[in-house]
Every structure is written in structure tokens, then in C-alpha cells.
């Protein structure tokens, strides 16, 4: 892939430990461009960096353009304006019914007006009583108005429509009566029942979350420290037995100890996303994917990514391929002494795996790596390869927004985990921000942490250059799907992949929407088994056997046909199975492995320590 920076990057040097370091003299002036190939003046970056600090990384220009596009086209749409006026008149006509209990002096009686059953914020029975039902109905009317006002206006670009609609939802969610303790019957009832104890507990929760340590006497705050994870790697999670068998400046490679006397001949390499720590795939013993695979007779290798710092600002996507995926593949082949390897990629790790597999399947692979084993299968878990419809993350993707994000990372050399987490929380602010505030700060309750929540709090950073390239070449320009993405100077095509593929999407995935994941069918002629699992981006993948209420959908081979099926047609034809998709996947892996199993060998001791290694503990 072409490098996109305005000045020559500092030379990278490798010491005896294999840790990359960079000459610092020019590092803060390197600008990885988000748009046209032009030199960026450091003064421009400095100003935009300060603006990004004030706006939380949101581009004022991007928002302004979206609002102007929407407002100008709405002004030129008298028919749409008439629809909105009729809606307002209809809503106003219902107000006497909302106010009737007060006007008739019957506020203590049960009202005939009930809040929306589809909105969980108003699920408490208290919202059926006046005046709370009037509060909720008026709010829902405003919500209906702005939903109609910000959508369906002829001439507005789809991206600008989505941005304006998203902004209106954010502002409305902020002003919901459920967020206001004096207007929320659930909070009022809890305050009366506890004589205000819930508010004291909630205030203590707020202080703890903002680094103010205080525990009032006689109050159980359910205290948890943001600095101390409830589930510690190596103690509670990431405890599957294994050893670190390789380490460089970017990855550790973990090989897990066999739990069966005979194993499948082909080892299995897992490439997790580096947005978060690898151990989402090795959580507690009962829901560890790694442990499940090892117990089924697979020899499992896992990449654990280094948490980059400021000195790693110049790590690129090419580095993640060369020092990450390709280095790990080479070691798996060397250690297992087998010529074929099953590969698994999760989220961004799956996108990297698809890029690498396409590069190795091209006619140029011998130019840059000739020491790698062959790929037996490609398994993509909640991983996108076509970014034309990336879901709600697309709200933050345009030239102006990526330029602002570049400026935000320019000074510190990386994107922090907190900044990434903030973006994901905005996408579902109703549940992840406002409902949480109501529960923890007003009701004074804390959810008991579980292993997945603890993992989610164990954030990582993203190197400046890599993240800029990733957003520009994949999200913004969709280079991978359109055949422009380059590896070592050569464009790669996913259509070059010929090995069998097992692709998993999840029903409620806001990060990698399953219909976007499904588009791999349009990009690759390899045999693809597609599975749609219940749950979201994380919980849908961590779906161990025995987990209640888990289902998955798949299409039997005799029903796929030889022609492409649209996603909705596939969904209509797919059979729904109760239970974990892991069982179906393991049977697929077994059917695509050598029939004859081999004797399991002990993990070699490379004097690099035991699992989970050291990179997983980096903060």
C-alpha cells in the first residue's frame, strides 16, 4: 500500500531485543494525509489538533456541511414542510388528552395514555401515571417529528442525512425525561423508598468514576476501580495453558498446550483485532473459544498484539501484515512442521487476514515472503471486507472528519482507547450513556461486572499512521473491495483467494453489520459457508455451547445453488438452529482438515514465558 505522509518518516531501527524504535527529531511533523496527496503545514495540524481537543474529535466543518445540506433542501421542499405541519397539528390535537387529568382534577387516577412499549426508557409502571405519561408522550412526539424532519428529503446526500438524523437523536436522547430525576417516576420512587440513599450512592459512583475516592459510611456503593480490572488476565481470564513461542516488536505468538493425545494435522492461527486485547477469545474457562478448540483436538496459536505508544506512531498497515500476520504464519509453519494452516481472523484482524490471504494468493507472493505455509482455510468472524456500507461507524467517515482525526492523533502519536470507546458509546448513547447515568447515578445501582465487561474496559491504542491508513484506504475509499489496496506495491484482489471460507456475521452488530460482512460473496469466488449468529459484535462471537438463548442461522449446502443470493434472500432461506455456532464451526473445521490425526506434541519452551505473555498487560 502506498505511504501517505508529507515528509520522510524517521528511520526505524531494531535493537537486540527486536523492539522497534524511531528517531524522534521529525516525528511530530509527519502528517498522514486523509485526502489528496499534498503537503500539510504543521501550523494547520496544530490548529486542527486544538479544535479536535475542544470538539472531542468531531469536525465542525463536517457537521456544518451536513446541516447546511439538510436545511437548504428542506427549505426547497414545500411538500415536506406541509407534511411536518400536518404532523405537528395532529400532535397538538392530542395535548388536551394529555392534560385532561390535571384539568379535571383526576391526576391520581390511572390514565388511558400509556408510553411506548418499544422504548425501554419508559418500561417502568410509573410512566403510566400522570404527569409522567404526559412527559413521555410529549417527548416521543418530538422524537417522531425530528425523525421525519431529518429523513426523506429529496436531494440531501445519504451521508449528510445520516449525520443530521444522528445529531437530532443525540440531542433528543440527552433531553429525555427519563434522564431527569425529578421527572422520572422510577427515580422518585427509589428516592422515597430509600430516604434519598440512592442519590448519595449515585453521587459516590460519580466521584469514583471521576477519580475521587470516597465511600460514605453505611453506604454500599458496589465500588469498583477503573484502574483495577475485575477480571485479571492470567488469573481470571486468559488462563488457557500455553507458552509464548515467538516475540517481536509488534506481536507475541502463543501456542496452547494440547488437551488430547491426538490432534488434527493442520494447526489453527487466530488473528484477533488490535483495537482490543486478544483475550476476548480466551475469556473465562467456560466461555473460552481457545479452550473449546483445544479440547476438540486443534493445535491453536494466538497473536497477542503490543499496545503501541508514542514511539510506535509510524507503524503502518504493512507493518501489521509483515511483522504481525506473516511473521506469525512463518512461526506456526516452522513450529508445527506442517505445510498447511487454518487461519481465523476476528473483526479488524479478519480484515487483515483477508488482505494477507489475497496477497499470498497473488502471483507476487514470492517477491516478499517465500517461507510461509499454505493457508488451508480462511475463517472470518464479524470482519468486513467491503466498507461501502459500514453501518453507523460511517457517520464518522468523510474527508473532513478523517482530517480532524488525523489532527487529533498528530501530537500524541496514537488514538487512545478512551477516544475509541467514546465513539462506540455515541453510536448507542441511549443505553451506554444516558441509561447508565440513570441507573448508576440516580438509582444508585451498579451492574455486577462480568468477564466481557472487564475485557471491554481493558482498552488499547491505535498507532497514528496505521489508523490513518486504515480509515482512508478501507472505510473512506473502500480500496480493498475495489481492487486498489496495495501490499508491497502490488494491488491485491480478494477474488484470488480460492481456499474454503467460513464467515460469521452477528444479528445486532453495529461495528461490522452482517449485511456488510455478507458482501464477501460478491468479492470472492471461493466456497463460502456463511453463518449468522444471534447477539452483537462481541457477545455474538463469544457464544459457547450451553449459553442460554443462543441461536444461529446457516444454509445447507444443497440449498445454496450456484448463483449469488442477496442477503435478504439468504436470510429467508436459512435454517435457524438452537445453540452455539461454535459446534457447527468445529465440525466444518474437522471436515476441512486431514482425515488422519497425528500425535499431539508438547509446546516447545522458547524461554519467552507462559501464556498470556507480557504484551497483554501493557497499559
Amino acid at each position: 500500500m502506498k505511504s501517505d505522509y508529507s515528509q520522510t518518516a524517521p528511520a526505524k531501527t531494531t535493537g537486540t531485543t527486536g523492539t522497534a524504535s524511531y528517531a524522534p527529531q521529525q516525528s511530530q511533523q509527519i502528517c498522514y494525509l486523509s485526502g489528496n496527496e499534498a503537503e500539510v503545514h504543521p501550523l494547520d495540524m496544530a490548529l486542527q489538533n486544538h479544535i479536535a481537543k475542544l470538539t472531542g474529535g468531531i469536525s465542525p466543518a463536517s457537521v456544518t456541511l451536513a446541516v447546511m445540506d439538510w436545511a437548504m433542501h428542506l427549505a426547497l421542499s414545500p411538500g415536506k414542510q406541509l407534511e411536518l405541519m400536518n404532523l405537528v397539528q395532529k400532535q397538538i390535537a392530542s395535548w388536551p388528552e394529555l392534560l385532561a387529568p390535571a384539568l379535571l382534577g383526576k391526576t391520581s387516577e390511572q390514565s388511558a395514555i400509556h408510553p411506548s412499549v418499544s422504548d425501554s426508557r419508559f418500561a417502568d409502571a410509573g410512566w403510566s401515571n400522570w404527569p409522567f405519561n404526559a412527559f413521555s408522550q410529549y417527548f416521543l412526539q418530538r422524537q417522531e417529528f425530528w425523525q421525519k424532519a431529518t429523513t426523506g428529503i429529496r436531494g440531501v446526500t445519504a451521508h449528510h442525512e445520516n449525520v443530521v438524523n444522528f445529531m437530532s437523536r443525540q440531542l433528543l436522547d440527552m433531553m429525555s425525561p427519563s434522564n431527569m430525576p425529578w421527572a422520572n417516576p422510577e427515580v422518585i420512587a427509589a428516592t422515597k423508598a430509600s430516604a434519598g440513599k440512592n442519590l448519595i450512592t449515585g453521587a459516590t459512583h460519580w466521584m469514583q468514576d471521576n477519580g475521587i475516592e470516597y465511600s460514605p459510611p453505611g453506604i454500599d456503593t458496589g465500588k469498583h476501580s477503573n484502574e483495577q480490572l475485575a477480571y485479571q488476565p492470567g488469573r481470571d481470564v486468559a488462563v488457557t495453558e500455553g507458552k509464548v513461542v515467538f516475540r517481536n516488536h509488534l506481536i507475541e505468538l502463543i501456542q496452547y498446550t494440547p488437551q488430547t493425545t491426538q490432534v488434527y494435522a493442520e494447526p489453527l492461527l487466530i488473528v484477533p483485532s488490535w483495537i482490543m486485547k486478544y483475550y476476548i477469545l480466551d475469556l473465562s474457562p467456560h466461555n473460552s473459544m481457545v479452550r473449546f478448540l483445544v479440547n476438540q483436538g486443534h493445535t491453536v496459536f494466538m497473536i497477542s498484539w503490543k499496545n503501541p505508544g508514542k514511539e510506535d506512531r509510524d507503524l503502518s498497515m504493512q507493518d501489521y501484515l509483515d511483522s504481525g500476520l506473516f511473521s506469525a504464519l512463518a512461526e506456526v509453519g516452522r513450529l508445527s512442521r506442517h505445510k498447511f494452516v487454518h487461519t481465523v481472523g476476528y473483526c479488524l484482524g479478519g480484515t487483515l487476514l483477508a488482505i494477507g490471504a489475497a496477497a499470498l494468493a497473488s502471483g507476487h507472493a514470492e517477491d516478499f515472503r517465500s517461507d510461509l505455509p499454505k493457508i488451508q482455510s480462511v475463517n472470518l468472524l464479524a470482519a468486513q471486507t467491503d466498507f461501502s456500507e459500514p453501518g453507523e461507524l460511517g457517520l464518522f467517515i468523510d474527508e473532513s472528519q478523517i482530517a480532524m482525526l488525523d489532527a487529533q492523533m498528530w501530537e500524541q502519536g496514537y488514538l487512545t482507547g478512551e477516544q475509541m470507546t467514546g465513539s462506540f458509546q455515541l453510536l448507542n448513547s441511549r443505553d451506554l450513556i444516558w441509561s447508565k447515568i440513570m441507573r448508576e447515578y440516580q438509582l444508585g445501582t451498579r451492574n455486577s461486572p462480568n468477564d466481557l465487561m472487564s475485557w471491554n474496559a481493558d482498552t488499547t491504542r491505535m498507532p497514528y499512521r496505521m489508523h490513518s491508513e486504515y480509515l482512508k484506504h478501507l472505510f473512506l475509499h473502500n480500496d480493498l473491495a475495489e481492487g486498489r489496496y496495495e501490499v508491497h506495491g502490488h494491488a491485491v484482489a480478494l477474488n484470488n483467494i480460492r481456499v474454503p471460507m467460513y464467515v460469521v456475521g452477528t444479528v445486532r452488530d453495529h461495528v461490522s453489520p452482517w449485511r456488510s460482512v455478507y458482501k464477501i460473496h460478491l468479492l470472492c469466488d471461493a466456497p463460502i459457508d456463511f453463518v449468522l449468529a444471534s447477539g452483537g459484535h462481541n457477545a455474538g462471537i463469544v457464544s459457547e455451547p450451553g449459553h442460554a438463548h443462543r441461536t444461529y442461522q446457516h444454509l445447507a449446502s444443497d440449498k445454496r445453488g450456484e448463483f449469488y443470493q442477496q442477503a435478504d434472500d439468504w436470510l429467508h432461506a436459512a435454517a435457524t438452529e438452537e445453540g452455539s455456532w461454535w459446534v457447527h464451526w468445529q465440525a466444518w473445521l474437522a471436515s476441512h482438515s486431514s482425515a488422519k490425526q497425528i500425535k499431539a506434541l508438547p509446546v516447545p519452551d522458547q524461554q519467552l514465558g507462559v501464556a498470556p505473555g507480557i504484551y497483554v498487560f501493557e497499559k
Side-chain angles (χ1 to χ4, degrees):
M1 184 172 59
K2 295 178 181 178
S3 298
D4 301 302
Y5 50 91
S6 60
Q7 301 184 33
T8 302
K12 180 169 68 175
T13 61
T14 304
T16 56
T17 62
T19 301
S21 59
Y22 301 86
Q25 57 266 27
Q26 289 185 332
S27 62
Q28 284 204 1
Q29 294 188 11
I30 297 175
C31 309
Y32 300 102
L33 307 182
S34 60
N36 297 327
E37 304 295 333
E39 187 169 318
V40 178
H41 198 287
L43 184 60
D44 297 343
M45 295 295 282
L47 174 61
Q48 292 171 25
N49 175 264
H50 284 290
I51 294 174
K53 290 177 181 178
L54 294 174
T55 64
I58 301 298
S59 168
S62 179
V63 172
T64 301
L65 288 171
V67 173
M68 289 179 62
D69 186 11
W70 165 76
M72 292 176 69
H73 283 92
L74 179 59
L76 298 173
S77 304
K80 183 71 172 182
Q81 295 175 35
L82 185 62
E83 288 180 14
L84 295 175
M85 291 173 60
N86 290 337
L87 176 62
V88 170
Q89 290 176 353
K90 180 181 177 182
Q91 292 176 346
I92 291 176
S94 69
W95 289 1
E97 188 177 3
L98 297 179
L99 298 173
L103 297 175
L104 299 176
K106 299 180 180 180
T107 57
S108 61
E109 295 183 9
Q110 190 78 10
S111 172
I113 299 174
H114 299 284
S116 171
V117 295
S118 62
D119 196 322
S120 60
R121 291 172 293 187
F122 308 119
D124 187 80
W127 288 103
S128 296
N129 301 322
W130 196 91
F132 306 111
N133 56 358
F135 294 161
S136 63
Q137 285 299 310
Y138 179 76
F139 171 78
L140 292 171
Q141 287 180 352
R142 296 300 87 209
Q143 187 171 263
E144 180 187 12
F145 172 85
W146 282 106
Q147 174 65 23
K148 186 174 286 291
T150 56
T151 58
I153 300 175
R154 187 170 180 268
V156 180
T157 66
H159 176 64
H160 286 163
E161 178 181 285
N162 291 336
V163 169
V164 173
N165 179 257
F166 174 77
M167 289 167 48
S168 69
R169 283 189 284 117
Q170 296 303 307
L171 292 172
L172 283 167
D173 287 344
M174 187 187 308
M175 296 184 291
S176 170
S178 61
N179 300 333
M180 304 171 189
W182 57 86
N184 187 326
E186 190 175 1
V187 176
I188 293 172
T191 303
K192 288 181 179 179
S194 66
K197 199 173 182 179
N198 60 305
L199 299 179
I200 298 174
T201 304
T204 306
H205 288 164
W206 180 88
M207 287 189 286
Q208 291 173 353
D209 290 346
N210 287 275
I212 305 171
E213 294 298 328
Y214 175 68
S215 295
I219 301 290
D220 180 11
T221 63
K223 179 180 176 181
H224 68 281
S225 171
N226 290 331
E227 300 297 324
Q228 184 72 19
L229 297 172
Y231 288 76
Q232 289 290 320
R235 185 193 70 188
D236 309 296
V237 291
V239 294
T240 303
E241 183 181 353
K243 294 177 183 177
V244 178
V245 293
F246 174 76
R247 177 183 296 131
N248 63 19
H249 66 279
L250 187 58
I251 69 166
E252 289 180 324
L253 183 66
I254 300 170
Q255 181 179 354
Y256 293 95
T257 304
Q259 298 299 311
T260 55
T261 57
Q262 297 289 114
V263 295
Y264 293 98
E266 293 80 10
L268 191 148
L269 171 63
I270 301 179
V271 186
S273 172
W274 52 93
I275 291 179
M276 300 293 279
K277 301 289 179 69
Y278 83 88
Y279 64 87
I280 184 175
L281 303 177
D282 186 25
L283 286 171
S284 303
H286 74 278
N287 61 356
S288 165
M289 178 184 287
V290 169
R291 184 178 292 264
F292 170 80
L293 291 168
V294 171
N295 287 342
Q296 299 301 313
H298 293 279
T299 301
V300 179
F301 292 81
M302 173 75 76
I303 290 177
S304 175
W305 300 98
K306 184 182 188 298
N307 194 7
K310 192 169 186 176
E311 70 280 3
D312 300 309
R313 64 182 293 121
D314 301 307
L315 288 173
S316 66
M317 282 290 287
Q318 189 64 62
D319 290 318
Y320 275 75
L321 269 175
D322 290 337
S323 300
L325 173 62
F326 293 158
S327 291
L329 263 176
E331 287 301 312
V332 171
R334 183 182 68 83
L335 292 168
S336 67
R337 290 172 288 184
H338 203 278
K339 295 181 179 179
F340 293 91
V341 176
H342 290 296
T343 56
V344 183
Y346 173 46
C347 186
L348 179 52
T351 304
L352 186 79
L353 172 59
I355 293 170
L360 294 177
S362 71
H364 304 287
E366 295 295 324
D367 296 345
F368 55 90
R369 289 307 287 252
S370 59
D371 60 335
L372 302 182
K374 302 294 184 182
I375 291 179
Q376 179 81 357
S377 70
V378 174
N379 301 260
L380 303 180
L381 314 181
Q384 296 182 90
T385 49
D386 184 315
F387 291 81
S388 58
E389 295 179 338
E392 291 188 332
L393 280 177
L395 291 164
F396 305 112
I397 305 298
D398 56 40
E399 293 280 4
S400 177
Q401 186 57 57
I402 292 181
M404 186 60 63
L405 186 58
D406 275 0
Q408 186 178 28
M409 296 186 291
W410 173 73
E411 182 179 34
Q412 61 194 18
Y414 52 78
L415 188 71
T416 68
E418 290 75 16
Q419 289 166 335
M420 280 188 291
T421 300
S423 297
F424 288 123
Q425 286 180 333
L426 274 178
L427 296 178
N428 190 17
S429 62
R430 177 187 298 181
D431 294 327
L432 298 182
I433 298 178
W434 302 115
S435 293
K436 179 183 177 184
I437 288 175
M438 192 273 287
R439 289 193 313 270
E440 298 194 358
Y441 301 159
Q442 297 178 17
L443 291 178
T445 61
R446 285 277 204 201
N447 286 331
S448 299
N450 57 35
D451 51 6
L452 191 58
M453 292 169 59
S454 185
W455 165 84
N456 196 54
D458 195 3
T459 59
T460 62
R461 295 175 289 273
M462 300 277 273
Y464 173 25
R465 179 176 179 179
M466 184 285 304
H467 197 49
S468 292
E469 292 177 345
Y470 162 62
L471 291 177
K472 174 188 174 183
H473 290 284
L474 296 178
F475 273 93
L476 186 61
H477 293 158
N478 203 22
D479 286 345
L480 179 59
E482 297 180 11
R484 294 186 300 269
Y485 194 96
E486 293 185 0
V487 174
H488 288 292
H490 299 286
V492 298
L494 295 173
N495 197 42
N496 288 330
I497 301 174
R498 292 289 186 265
V499 298
M501 303 182 73
Y502 190 95
V503 180
V504 180
T506 59
V507 174
R508 297 194 306 274
D509 198 329
H510 296 286
V511 179
S512 301
W514 78 264
R515 285 179 171 81
S516 180
V517 173
Y518 186 84
K519 288 185 177 183
I520 187 66
H521 289 85
L522 293 171
L523 305 175
C524 190
D525 289 333
I528 299 174
D529 283 78
F530 186 81
V531 169
L532 182 62
S534 60
H537 186 70
N538 297 327
I541 298 302
V542 183
S543 183
E544 73 281 1
H547 194 127
H549 311 301
R550 286 290 194 247
T551 62
Y552 64 94
Q553 293 168 268
H554 71 100
L555 203 58
S557 57
D558 60 340
K559 292 186 178 181
R560 290 179 200 147
E562 57 179 311
F563 302 109
Y564 168 74
Q565 288 180 295
Q566 293 185 1
D568 289 334
D569 292 338
W570 179 94
L571 186 65
H572 178 75
T576 300
E577 304 286 348
E578 297 290 331
S580 168
W581 65 268
W582 290 8
V583 177
H584 181 268
W585 178 41
Q586 196 282 320
W588 186 93
L589 285 172
S591 68
H592 289 81
S593 300
S594 300
K596 184 177 180 181
Q597 294 191 350
I598 62 175
K599 181 180 179 181
L601 298 176
V603 178
D605 188 356
Q606 306 287 60
Q607 302 298 310
L608 295 173
V610 299
I614 60 174
Y615 284 172
V616 74
F617 294 105
E618 292 181 332
K619 299 299 182 183

